[in-house]
Amino acid sequence: AQSVTQPDIHITVSEGASLELRCNYSYGATPYLFWYVQSPGQGLQLLLKYFSGDTLVQGIKGFEAEFKRSQSSFNLRKPSVHWSDAAEYFCAVFLSGNTPLVFGKGTRLSVIA
Amino acid sequence: GAGVSQSPSNKVTEKGKDVELRCDPISGHTALYWYRQRLGQGLEFLIYFQGNSAPDKSGLPSDRFSAERTGESVSTLTIQRTQQEDSAVYLCASSSRVNQPQHFGDGTRLSIL
């Protein structure tokens, strides 16, 4: 069973427009949640993480994400997208014990002028 | 070092040859992970180490793949008798604990001719 789902394979937004990338998880308790970004030819960079507490978390590069327990979601948002935000975005969850992070399949973001 | 270092950054080899990929994790990180990423695809988990033991080898695609880790330091991923389908980017990551964010290297791009 897939623990984390990113429903959108590819999203295109205009520069300056707002962005929301979806992430849903399936787990009984609250997992640890992460968003990563991967620019072409590079490894993954951590944008932000949620462990507990305030459900709205701020990250680097102007990104934020909101944990919604009722929807089992952890969507990534940015108010105004820049061309340099074009990349692949991965959501990841830590469930329990010694099981490593489980990554979603990723969402590719394209930014047009 | 400051981050996760992988070498070589690029490797081109002939089908049937053995290759060895190296990963230097962040100093003090006890957990180390290997992933495979085919072109345009998400992350495929291969193996992870806690210290120098590997609790989870479930992702290794075949017995041609093996990995070792010396203490809480360098890891090598070895692919024997390479096949064309082994062509991919191999990413390494490390974390202080398994429930903490993973820090990624830039990967080794492996091309099998």
Side-chain angles (χ1 to χ4, degrees), chain A residues 80-113:
Chain A
S80 177
V81 169
H82 187 262
W83 64 267
S84 60
D85 293 323
E88 189 86 17
Y89 291 80
F90 293 93
C91 180
V93 301
F94 171 78
L95 300 177
S96 65
N98 286 320
T99 306
L101 301 189
V102 177
F103 285 83
K105 295 186 182 299
T107 297
R108 181 160 63 94
L109 174 66
S110 296
V111 180
I112 58 176

Side-chain angles (χ1 to χ4, degrees), chain A residues 32 34 36 38 43-44 46 49 51 90 94 97-98 100-101 103 105, chain B residues 33 35 37 42-43 45 48 91 98-102 104-106 109:
Chain A
Y32 293 175
F34 308 83
Y36 285 84
Q38 185 180 32
L44 280 69
L46 179 70
K49 62 184 185 285
F51 286 178
F90 293 93
F94 171 78
N98 286 320
L101 301 189
F103 285 83
K105 295 186 182 299
Chain B
Y33 314 82
Y35 297 89
Q37 187 175 34
L43 299 177
F45 171 79
Y48 101 95
L91 291 167
V98 72
N99 62 358
Q100 297 300 306
Q102 294 180 14
F104 284 78
D106 285 337
R109 182 176 301 278

Side-chain angles (χ1 to χ4, degrees), chain A residues 3 25-31 67 69-70 72 93-96:
Chain A
S3 299
Y25 66 90
S26 55
Y27 186 57
T30 299
F67 168 61
R69 185 190 310 274
S70 61
S72 297
V93 301
F94 171 78
L95 300 177
S96 65

Side-chain angles (χ1 to χ4, degrees), chain A residues 6 8-11 21-22 87-89 105-109:
Chain A
Q6 293 180 246
D8 304 304
I9 296 174
H10 184 205
I11 285 182
L21 302 182
R22 296 183 290 164
E88 189 86 17
Y89 291 80
K105 295 186 182 299
T107 297
R108 181 160 63 94
L109 174 66

Side-chain angles (χ1 to χ4, degrees), chain B residues 2 5 11 17 22 24 26 32 34 36 38 40 44-45 54 66 81 85 89-90 92 94 100 102 104 107 111:
Chain B
S5 177
K11 177 72 175 178
K17 300 287 188 183
R22 176 187 171 105
D24 281 276
I26 292 173
L32 184 147
W34 284 100
R36 181 168 69 181
R38 291 198 165 105
E44 179 183 0
F45 171 79
S66 63
R81 305 180 304 280
E85 63 262 27
V89 174
Y90 290 82
C92 176
S94 70
Q100 297 300 306
Q102 294 180 14
F104 284 78
S111 300

